[in-house]
Amino acid sequence: FQFLAGPYLHLSTQHGVNLAWETSTPAKTVIEYGTQEPLDRRLALPPGDPIQTATLEGLEPETTYFYRLRATGADGKTLDSGLLSFKTAVRSESPFTFALLGDPETRPHIGRRVAELVWDERPDFALNVGDLTDGGEEPHKWQWNFEYFPGLGALHQRVPVFPVPGNGEGDLYWYKRYHQLPE
């Protein structure tokens, strides 16, 4: 029983953020979150698909939140994401920063280093302009779990990412499963 992806953030707004993760088997999940410890909000989800998503709502704009995700498998084993943080989207009149990434494909060691450098700048969000994987079609799920998420995961746990598919995402099967995006 392990995390195969995430937790990671996407589709951030001024009042909410989507959180996603994947466990190796279905799990009951509890997300605790708030602006300080002890975390005062809680969202519980029943076991479902191993790829799960949740929307944290009712948040304040331009505010740092902390969160922890705990997933419990059928065998009683619990995974803990550790304490992580994110910031909600800025107000429309506020300045913002963003990171622009692209083409991490089959180089998780380079993606990891880029993620560390980007995190040092504390952007409000990140755009990943494609070729997240090197042909991450349905039969190539390993490219997501062993290349993409291990490479950029530490950044995506703290900074919402808005990905754009490239030709490396092929049939878009896993791309659509892993991301909730605006219309």
Side-chain angles (χ1 to χ4, degrees):
F1 184 58
Q2 61 186 326
F3 282 119
L4 297 179
Y8 57 97
L9 304 163
H10 47 97
L11 194 53
S12 174
T13 68
Q14 292 179 355
H15 299 287
V17 68
N18 285 342
L19 179 64
W21 63 96
E22 180 183 17
T23 51
S24 53
T25 60
K28 178 175 62 174
T29 304
V30 174
I31 304 166
E32 297 171 316
Y33 61 104
T35 57
Q36 61 186 9
E37 279 201 288
L39 303 173
D40 60 351
R41 296 185 187 187
R42 181 181 167 103
L43 178 63
L45 301 164
D49 189 272
I51 299 173
Q52 290 193 310
T53 62
T55 302
L56 307 182
E57 298 176 301
L59 308 178
E60 293 298 318
E62 277 183 70
T63 303
T64 298
Y65 284 85
F66 298 93
Y67 74 98
R68 172 179 281 118
L69 186 142
R70 290 189 177 107
T72 305
D75 62 358
K77 183 178 178 185
T78 298
L79 302 173
D80 188 328
S81 68
L83 188 64
L84 299 165
S85 65
F86 66 90
K87 187 173 121 183
T88 51
V90 301
R91 292 174 179 84
S92 57
E93 66 276 2
S94 296
F96 61 90
T97 60
F98 66 95
L100 185 64
L101 311 166
D103 206 13
E105 292 188 320
T106 60
R107 298 169 294 278
H109 61 290
I110 293 171
R112 188 174 303 109
R113 182 66 183 129
V114 168
E116 291 167 355
L117 292 169
V118 169
W119 175 240
D120 286 347
E121 300 299 320
R122 302 298 196 267
D124 293 295
F125 62 92
L127 298 172
N128 194 327
V129 295
D131 289 347
L132 313 179
T133 63
D134 188 36
E137 297 176 344
E138 187 173 1
H140 301 273
K141 185 177 186 303
W142 61 270
Q143 291 182 352
W144 294 91
N145 296 133
F146 294 103
E147 293 176 353
Y148 178 69
F149 288 112
L152 297 173
L155 177 66
H156 295 340
Q157 291 176 335
R158 295 170 179 88
V159 175
V161 63
F162 293 86
V164 177
N167 65 329
E169 284 63 68
D171 63 7
L172 301 179
Y173 182 83
W174 294 109
Y175 175 86
K176 289 179 179 179
R177 294 280 320 269
Y178 283 123
H179 301 99
Q180 286 185 348
L181 301 168
E183 292 297 320

